[in-house]
Amino acid sequence: MADLTPTPDRPGLHVTKPDPTTPATATATATAICHCGATATATGDNQVRALVEGYTANHGPAHHRKSR
C-alpha cells in the first residue's frame, strides 16, 4: 500500500482510526499539511475531529473556495 501521509510536495489530510478489534490503547491519529505551509498533527478522537474541521474550514479546499 502507498504511504498516504501528506508531505510538503503532496499536501493533504490523512486520518487513521484503528480497527475496533485492536486493543483499547489504539487511538485515532491525523496529519495535515497545506500547500500554504501550515502543518498539524492530532491524536485521539476529539483532537482528530477538531483538526479535520479546522483543515476543512481554513486550509486545503478552503483556499480554493476563497480564490474564486
Side-chain angles (χ1 to χ4, degrees), residues 3-12 33-34:
D3 182 5
L4 301 175
T5 304
T7 67
D9 294 330
R10 292 180 309 119
I33 298 179
C34 185

Side-chain angles (χ1 to χ4, degrees), residues 14-57:
H14 184 241
V15 176
T16 61
K17 175 74 174 180
D19 184 300
T21 62
T22 58
T25 58
T27 60
T29 61
T31 302
I33 298 179
C34 185
H35 60 85
C36 73
T39 64
T41 60
T43 302
D45 290 352
N46 291 334
Q47 288 82 12
V48 168
R49 186 176 300 109
L51 186 150
V52 170
E53 290 171 358
Y55 181 83
T56 303

